[in-house]
Amino acid sequence: MTALRFKEIEHKFVVPESFDLEAFRRVLATLGPLRHDVLRVRDRYVVTEAGRARGFILRHRHDRDLHELTLKTVVGDAEVRDEINVKLRPDDQDATIDAFVDAQGVVWRGTLWKDLEVWHFADCEVVHYVATADDREGHAIHCVEFEAVHQATMDEALAVMAKYERLIGFEHAVRTPLSLVDLMWPGVLAGLRLTP
């Protein structure tokens, strides 16, 4: 598992606003998730001078369950990318995080909100969310994501996602290679991408 410790392996599907969420919920319930959560997540994204030069973006996430600072590499296909999470205290640390990233030279920043549902399985997390951004009034992105968790190899992780996509009816759907930042703010990450 060490080889994948700092990797995020996921498939993202953009779905229409008319997506049948009730049917989706029913199918997932039959698979016996370990846990099901409904929550609102705030993600603050920042591109620093170092991030622009080295191909990464920072994300400050704060919701009722998580408070963390994350470094994500920017790649052409977001199926597999580096992700390093630093857990933070549960209290409000916005000013501290702002000072930390400001000292690195901020090139761009944006805040988005996700109203999401996540179904936790032993080997995969399945998520449906609607994302909106503070500076993109009236613009919403609806997505379903499958994220492999706790696998030892890339092949195992891809097989797990394929299994859940088949069980839930996404095996023939076309996933997007774009990250949520690319979808919400087209062009912001242009020039940052690392070659896989």
Side-chain angles (χ1 to χ4, degrees), residues 28 33 35-39 64-65 116-121 124-129 145:
L28 281 157
R35 196 171 90 235
H36 170 239
D37 291 314
V38 178
L39 64 156
R64 76 161 190 254
D65 296 330
L116 65 80
E117 288 188 62
V118 56
W119 291 263
H120 300 271
F121 298 91
C124 189
E125 292 179 356
V126 181
V127 183
H128 173 272
Y129 62 81
E145 290 181 0

Side-chain angles (χ1 to χ4, degrees), residues 54-141:
R54 302 196 55 172
F56 67 83
I57 189 167
L58 299 174
R59 179 190 70 197
H60 176 215
R61 170 167 286 173
H62 199 179
D63 62 44
R64 76 161 190 254
D65 296 330
L66 286 175
H67 192 194
E68 61 189 11
L69 184 63
T70 301
L71 180 149
K72 290 178 176 265
T73 51
V74 178
V75 293
D77 186 339
E79 178 183 47
V80 179
R81 57 186 170 165
D82 292 347
E83 179 177 280
I84 304 166
N85 294 301
V86 178
K87 303 296 183 201
L88 302 172
R89 294 186 323 256
D91 57 319
D92 183 356
Q93 296 182 60
D94 286 1
T96 303
I97 298 300
D98 288 345
F100 179 81
V101 298
D102 287 351
Q104 299 175 56
V106 173
V107 175
W108 174 87
R109 69 174 80 221
T111 299
L112 63 77
W113 299 87
K114 288 187 201 173
D115 292 296
L116 65 80
E117 288 188 62
V118 56
W119 291 263
H120 300 271
F121 298 91
D123 52 359
C124 189
E125 292 179 356
V126 181
V127 183
H128 173 272
Y129 62 81
V130 178
T132 56
D134 287 349
D135 62 347
R136 301 290 315 272
E137 190 174 332
H139 182 65
I141 296 171

Side-chain angles (χ1 to χ4, degrees), residues 2 21-22 37-38 41 46 53 63 88 94 103 112-113 118 136 144-145 148 155 161 164 166 172 177:
T2 305
L21 187 53
E22 285 305 318
D37 291 314
V38 178
V41 174
V46 179
D63 62 44
L88 302 172
D94 286 1
L112 63 77
W113 299 87
V118 56
R136 301 290 315 272
V144 169
E145 290 181 0
D155 287 342
M161 290 188 303
Y164 283 91
R166 186 180 64 255
H172 300 299

